[in-house]
């Protein structure tokens, strides 16, 4: 799928009511989107799949912790000190860039020159860019002019920029709680849902009498003041995370990393209908690891704009629990009664963004059926916002009444639509674009012998069946 196709997906999202630009009547708010009627249903189906996948395990339970927590949580977790993006400004036009993003848009000879200046090897991948960004940050005095000397071009102006030294930009949104900004405490909107799980983990473990290994799953909003927000809903400032923290014995971390990597990639193919060749793992190099991680893998999807991370699987060790213990003074150890052993569990984290999965599912499903001059969203049946559209052939002769009866019968089991506007072909094509799995038409023959025509979205095959067989047909033919 090309960039052109991403534009088409964006336009379909608006036209069919999946995703709308936010605050459009005021000219829009950058990197903010609202989910329309079909969008909320698709988003909910994806998050339900994830929730069921996680919490139907015997040893994984759910949690819904607050977005705002005690500010010390972010002190302990290292987010106040280290949750930064390295950035630089072009002194000429005052444009600000995240350094890794700026470098990813440069020609390879520019990256080669930077590697020469810093005496590092160019591996020709994202890890080299991460390495350069980190060196620029940690030794900004030494490499003050490196970007300019290497000829880094400003993608906006197209000419070599006059770049400021690399600086840190903290990604957390800060506000204050209480009636006065002066006396109120600084509060941060959470940049990840994970910390809410860590600070509650012993309460959850006690309440549910859990034994290691066990997991705590959570779905909720997270906020990051992203410098570069683009590619539609791929990177936004407000988004939803689906995170599961798996607490294991420290000696079992590697084994559990392998287990969860495998389990998570299978989820994409078996539950979300993503093809294997559009998925891959990317292991973080040591330089690119987050401040809390010992080992990390991203699951990446082949988006129209290139490979992009959809999920992170991290070995966070006992970093977070120990840091919370230090700052709060509260014991964060797990007690194994059988072995009479006390320890800080290691945490294997699986962390994904619901909005990115949503975009991935749409990109995968989008199909231009040139032979039939139509656009089809080939969504898996479970994810399709509507499972069937019920259409009386005409708006008269008792056909609408019969169609309403059929609608009432099917909608007890499946979400469906009723549509009597326009030609039957147009009605089908409208629903093909929205991913509706089946089209059911009621005509004059239906009144005589209680049959309907049922049409499959992807193959466009039509079948005449008795109306009491519709549900069975759907369950046997759903994709
Ligand atoms: N708790 C670990 C953590 O937050 P992360 O790799 O920073 O790890 C996990 O984020 C996932 O959250 C990403 O794989 C992505 O799907 C999603 N995500 C992160 N930042 C995002 C953003 N600005 N917009 C949309 N989704 C985002």
């Amino acid at each position: 799928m090309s960039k052109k196709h991403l534009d088409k997906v964006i336009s379909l999202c608006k036209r069919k009511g999946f995703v709308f630009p936010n605050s459009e009547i005021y000219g829009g708010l950058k990197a903010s989107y609202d989910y329309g009627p079909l969008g909320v249903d698709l988003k909910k189906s994806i998050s339900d799949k994830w929730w069921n996948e996680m919490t139907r395990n015997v040893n994984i339970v759910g949690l819904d912790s607050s977005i705002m927590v005690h500010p010390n949580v972010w002190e302990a977790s290292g987010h106040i000190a280290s949750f930064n993006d390295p950035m630089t400004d072009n002194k000429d036009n005052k444009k600000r860039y995240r350094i890794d993003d700026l470098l990813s848009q440069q020609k390879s000879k520019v990256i080669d020159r930077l590697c020469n200046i810093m005496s590092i090897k160019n591996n020709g991948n994202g890890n080299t860019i991460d390495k350069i960004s980190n060196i620029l940050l940690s030794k900004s005095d030494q490499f003050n002019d490196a970007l300019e000397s290497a000829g880094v071009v400003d993608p906006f102006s197209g000419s070599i920029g006059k770049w400021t030294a690399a600086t840190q930009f903290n990604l957390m949104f800060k506000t204050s709680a209480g009636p006065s900004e002066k006396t109120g405490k600084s509060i941060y909107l959470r940049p990840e849902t994970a910390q809410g799980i860590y600070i509650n983990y012993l309460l959850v473990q006690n309440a549910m009498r859990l034994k290691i290994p066990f997991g705590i799953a959570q779905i909720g909003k997270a906020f990051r003041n992203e410098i570069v927000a683009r590619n539609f809903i791929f990177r936004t400032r407000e988004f939803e995370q689906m995170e599961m923290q798996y607490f294991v014995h420290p000696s079992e971390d590697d084994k559990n990393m392998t287990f969860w990597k495998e389990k998570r990639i299978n989820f994409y193919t078996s539950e979300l209908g993503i093809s294997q060749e559009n998925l891959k793992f990317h292991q973080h190099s040591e330089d690119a690891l987050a401040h809390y991680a010992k080992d990390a893998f991203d699951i990446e999807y082949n988006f129209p704009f290139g490979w992009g991370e959809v999920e992170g699987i991290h070995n966070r060790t006992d970093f977070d629990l120990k840091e919370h213990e230090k700052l709060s003074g509260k014991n964060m150890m797990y007690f194994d009664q059988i072995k009479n052993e006390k320890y800080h569990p290691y945490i294997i984290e699986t962390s994904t963004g619901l909005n990115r999965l949503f975009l991935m599912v749409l990109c995968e499903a989008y199909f231009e059926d040139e032979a039939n001059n139509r656009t089809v969203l080939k969504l898996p049946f479970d994810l399709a916002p509507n499972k069937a559209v019920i259409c009386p052939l005409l708006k008269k002769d008792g056909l609408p009444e019969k169609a309403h009866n059929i609608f009432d019968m099917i909608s007890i089991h499946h979400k469906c639509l009723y549509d009597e506007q326009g030609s039957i072909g147009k009605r089908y094509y409208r629903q093909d674009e929205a991913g509706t799995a089946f089209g059911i038409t009621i005509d004059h023959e239906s009144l005589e012998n209680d049959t309907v025509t049922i049409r499959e979205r992807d193959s466009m095959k039509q079948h005449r069946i008795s109306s009491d067989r519709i549900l069975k047909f759907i369950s046997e033919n759903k994709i």
Side-chain angles (χ1 to χ4, degrees):
M1 205 193 245
S2 63
K3 172 89 175 69
K4 205 166 125 209
H5 278 91
L6 180 67
D7 293 341
K8 289 184 179 174
V9 170
I10 297 172
S11 141
L12 180 143
C13 277
K14 187 173 178 192
R15 200 167 64 244
K16 304 307 285 189
F18 282 95
V19 182
F20 304 125
N22 170 270
S23 308
E24 199 183 37
I25 60 166
Y26 291 105
L29 176 67
K30 234 177 158 191
S32 269
Y33 295 91
D34 297 334
Y35 288 76
L38 298 196
V40 276
D41 278 336
L42 175 57
K43 195 143 69 82
K44 186 157 186 320
S45 304
I46 298 172
S47 62
D48 283 351
K49 286 234 171 233
W50 184 89
W51 189 252
N52 291 339
E53 168 94 357
M54 290 299 176
T55 61
R56 288 192 185 164
N57 282 287
V58 278
N59 62 345
I60 300 182
V61 295
L63 181 74
D64 184 9
S65 66
S66 297
I67 287 174
M68 292 184 280
V69 290
H70 194 289
N72 282 357
V73 170
W74 307 116
E75 187 68 50
S77 69
H79 281 82
I80 290 177
S82 312
F83 196 52
N84 300 313
D85 269 348
M87 54 169 208
T88 181
D89 292 358
N90 184 352
K91 291 179 207 160
D92 282 339
N93 60 8
K94 310 284 179 267
K95 288 263 166 210
R96 171 164 292 186
Y97 292 93
R98 217 172 77 186
I99 290 179
D100 58 349
D101 186 62
L102 179 64
L103 297 185
S104 69
Q105 297 180 64
Q106 303 299 314
K107 295 211 166 103
S108 56
K109 60 182 183 203
V110 174
I111 305 298
D112 282 340
R113 284 201 288 267
L114 271 169
C115 288
N116 277 338
I117 293 171
M118 291 170 182
S119 312
I120 57 170
K121 200 166 160 246
N122 185 358
N123 293 326
N125 58 28
N127 287 338
T128 304
I129 288 180
D130 289 333
K131 200 167 191 169
I132 295 172
S133 307
N134 289 338
I135 295 175
L136 284 172
L137 259 185
S138 55
K139 301 179 183 171
S140 57
D141 292 347
Q142 204 176 325
F143 294 113
N144 216 343
D145 301 322
L147 293 176
E148 201 177 329
S149 324
V152 170
V153 169
D154 181 335
F156 183 78
S157 66
S159 43
I160 296 172
K162 286 202 166 47
W163 301 104
T164 59
T167 47
Q168 306 265 21
F169 178 77
N170 194 285
L171 295 180
M172 283 197 294
F173 279 102
K174 193 174 176 183
T175 182
S176 52
S180 139
E181 273 188 29
K182 278 192 190 141
T183 56
K185 270 204 156 86
S186 284
I187 287 281
Y188 299 91
L189 299 186
R190 67 180 176 199
E192 61 170 8
T193 66
Q195 297 300 327
I197 296 183
Y198 304 150
I199 59 175
N200 281 299
Y201 108 95
L202 283 175
L203 293 174
V204 174
Q205 185 256 323
N206 274 319
M208 305 307 288
R209 304 168 58 79
L210 295 166
K211 297 205 169 19
I212 273 181
F214 67 86
I216 304 177
Q218 167 155 239
I219 299 178
K221 290 249 173 165
F223 303 84
R224 296 181 188 178
N225 196 2
E226 300 281 3
I227 306 165
V228 183
R230 62 155 183 243
N231 289 333
F232 192 35
I233 52 173
F234 180 81
R235 191 184 302 284
T236 48
R237 302 202 170 100
E238 172 182 342
F239 55 99
E240 267 172 278
Q241 282 192 320
M242 304 194 288
E243 299 199 301
M244 195 281 298
Q245 313 295 326
Y246 203 64
F247 297 79
V248 304
H249 191 276
S251 63
E252 308 225 297
D253 60 340
D254 292 340
K255 182 177 111 183
N256 278 287
M257 271 296 275
T258 309
F259 172 81
W260 280 105
K261 268 175 62 195
E262 170 92 9
K263 196 155 164 62
R264 291 306 303 147
I265 201 144
N266 287 344
F267 172 81
Y268 289 81
T269 49
S270 64
E271 299 297 315
L272 301 184
I274 308 299
S275 52
Q276 193 81 56
E277 71 262 22
N278 281 336
L279 292 167
K280 70 174 187 192
F281 280 115
H282 161 75
Q283 183 171 20
H284 288 213
S285 68
E286 268 194 27
D287 304 296
L289 283 175
H291 61 275
Y292 49 71
K294 168 182 159 190
D295 192 11
F297 287 84
D298 292 339
I299 297 178
E300 294 186 339
Y301 176 72
N302 191 11
F303 285 100
F305 45 83
W307 290 93
E309 173 192 342
V310 286
E311 172 154 351
I313 300 156
H314 312 128
N315 180 349
R316 294 183 73 133
T317 69
D318 52 8
F319 172 87
D320 298 271
L321 297 182
K322 280 189 168 161
E323 292 301 312
H324 284 305
E325 184 169 287
K326 262 192 238 157
L327 197 61
S328 68
K330 296 280 184 307
N331 184 359
M332 298 295 280
M333 282 203 255
Y334 168 82
F335 178 47
D336 182 333
Q337 288 178 341
I338 297 167
K339 293 190 186 145
N340 196 24
E341 184 189 1
K342 269 189 184 170
Y343 59 90
H344 292 101
Y346 268 34
I347 295 167
I348 306 301
E349 167 181 72
T350 76
S351 171
T352 186
L354 178 53
N355 316 72
R356 281 198 192 169
L357 299 198
F358 182 101
L359 181 60
M360 171 186 71
V361 163
L362 284 179
C363 291
E364 184 81 9
Y366 183 88
F367 176 65
E368 290 184 347
D369 179 0
E370 282 168 10
N372 294 298
N373 197 19
R374 63 176 188 149
T375 300
V376 194
L377 265 193
K378 292 188 168 187
L379 290 170
F381 181 81
D382 288 352
L383 299 183
N386 287 297
K387 312 303 178 195
V389 58
I390 321 294
C391 309
L393 187 64
L394 302 172
K395 280 192 248 177
K396 56 182 186 181
D397 301 339
L399 298 182
E401 289 76 5
K402 174 85 179 160
H404 276 298
N405 288 342
I406 303 247
F407 177 92
D408 291 344
M409 188 253 295
I410 302 176
S411 60
I412 296 171
H413 304 272
H414 300 296
K415 192 158 186 290
C416 6
L417 286 168
Y418 176 87
D419 187 4
E420 56 179 29
Q421 304 295 331
S423 75
I424 200 72
K426 280 202 178 127
R427 281 183 256 173
Y428 283 159
Y429 273 33
R430 270 205 293 269
Q431 292 310 315
D432 289 343
E433 264 200 321
T436 305
F438 295 98
I440 297 171
T441 298
I442 287 81
D443 56 16
H444 291 94
E445 197 182 329
S446 311
L447 300 179
E448 285 161 22
N449 59 10
D450 200 21
T451 58
V452 299
T453 4
I454 184 158
R455 171 188 178 271
E456 298 173 57
R457 178 196 63 205
D458 297 355
S459 68
M460 296 170 73
K461 268 195 214 142
Q462 301 203 22
H463 313 260
R464 185 112 213 157
I465 61 169
S466 155
S467 68
D468 59 8
R469 284 203 60 243
I470 297 175
L471 289 172
K472 193 155 185 282
F473 183 94
I474 289 178
S475 78
E476 285 170 358
N477 292 280
K478 64 185 187 187
I479 301 170

